[in-house]
Amino acid sequence: MSVVAGSVFGMGKHESAHIVWDWNGTLFHDNDAIIGATNAASAELGLAPITLEQYRALYCVPVPRFYERLMGRLPTEAEWEVMDEIFHRYYAEHRGRCGLTDGAAELLAGWRSAGRSQSLLSMYVHDELVPLVRGFGIEPHFVRVEGRTGPSGGSKAEHMVRHLRQLADVEPGRTVVIGDAADDAVAARAVGARAVLYTGGSHGRASLEEVGVPVVDSLAEAVEEAERLVA
């Protein structure tokens, strides 16, 4: 069966509070695969490998700007295409070793059982995202699962605008985006939603705190903060 963009799974009761979850580095604990893929792509240009701490300090969106921080210049279009292909090939080979973030499945079930809605918006390619989500058995918790269908490397903001437009009975002002990157907060701001940022993924606490939204060290804290924001 082919998968179309914005797959809709469980359609439970909707209440006013809604969470839009990020995937990579948030619900999906894939740091090892991300760092390995980044270093594989960087090696194509002769760059030295970096650690997770260095990645968290330097990572930004759009992604070519991240590589500019590593290289001292923006990659050319040809270089970016090669690096992007290497990154995604390596990541696809190693993501199978990664699992959900501790407590994620229970938190998703709890939010849904409380009668509230939640969705998933990722910048990971849609046709790769959906089988991953299904494989973990968590798809019934979401009213919509949506990955990227266009070019990689850009901001989530424009995707967030489209995502919320597709969700019936979801008010942006009663929506909280939970993610691990500053760009998640930018995307939330673009639609008038709130954001909570989690330190376990692509950014360190210091860079997340610069954004001016709540920053937490666990997904349980993120959900608690989301409840407070929409109370």
Side-chain angles (χ1 to χ4, degrees):
M1 182 179 70
S2 62
V3 179
V4 296
S7 296
V8 178
F9 296 118
M11 296 297 292
K13 174 185 174 185
H14 286 219
E15 293 291 347
S16 59
H18 181 84
I19 290 177
V20 180
W21 290 94
D22 175 55
W23 179 245
N24 302 96
T26 303
L27 291 175
F28 190 43
H29 187 65
D30 59 351
N31 290 341
D32 289 345
I34 290 288
I35 295 302
T38 298
N39 285 331
S42 298
E44 177 67 20
L45 299 184
L47 301 177
I50 61 173
T51 65
L52 176 59
E53 289 71 25
Q54 290 171 316
Y55 179 88
R56 285 174 167 166
L58 296 172
Y59 182 75
C60 63
V61 173
V63 180
R65 294 289 182 184
F66 164 63
Y67 285 104
E68 180 182 26
R69 293 180 175 185
L70 294 179
M71 300 168 58
R73 63 172 178 82
L74 276 172
T76 66
E77 184 174 341
E79 288 172 335
W80 166 247
E81 289 178 359
V82 171
M83 295 169 74
D84 191 47
E85 190 278 329
I86 292 173
F87 178 95
H88 285 96
R89 185 176 69 240
Y90 182 102
Y91 180 85
E93 293 170 356
H94 292 82
R95 70 186 183 197
R97 302 176 185 174
C98 304
L100 294 178
T101 300
D102 288 345
E106 293 79 9
L107 290 166
L108 293 172
W111 188 265
R112 183 189 182 204
S113 66
R116 293 164 171 169
S117 64
Q118 56 198 330
S119 58
L120 175 59
L121 176 62
S122 173
M123 295 298 284
Y124 190 47
V125 63
H126 183 79
D127 288 346
E128 299 289 334
L129 172 69
V130 171
L132 272 176
V133 175
R134 285 179 173 162
F136 285 113
I138 58 173
E139 72 273 11
H141 300 315
F142 303 109
V143 296
R144 188 174 181 84
V145 172
E146 187 172 5
R148 175 179 53 80
T149 56
S152 65
S155 173
K156 185 182 280 188
E158 62 184 273
H159 301 272
M160 186 68 70
V161 172
R162 290 195 297 268
H163 184 75
L164 285 193
R165 283 176 180 166
Q166 298 296 322
L167 300 177
D169 304 321
V170 170
E171 300 176 16
R174 298 280 291 166
T175 297
V176 179
V177 177
I178 298 179
D180 68 315
D183 190 53
D184 290 301
V186 172
R189 197 172 294 131
V191 295
R194 309 290 188 87
V196 179
L197 299 181
Y198 163 61
T199 62
S202 62
H203 284 36
R205 173 174 279 276
S207 59
L208 292 179
E209 288 180 339
E210 294 177 357
V211 184
V213 302
V215 177
V216 298
D217 296 319
S218 72
L219 294 188
E221 291 176 274
V223 171
E224 290 175 1
E225 189 65 24
E227 291 177 328
R228 186 189 69 80
L229 290 172
V230 297

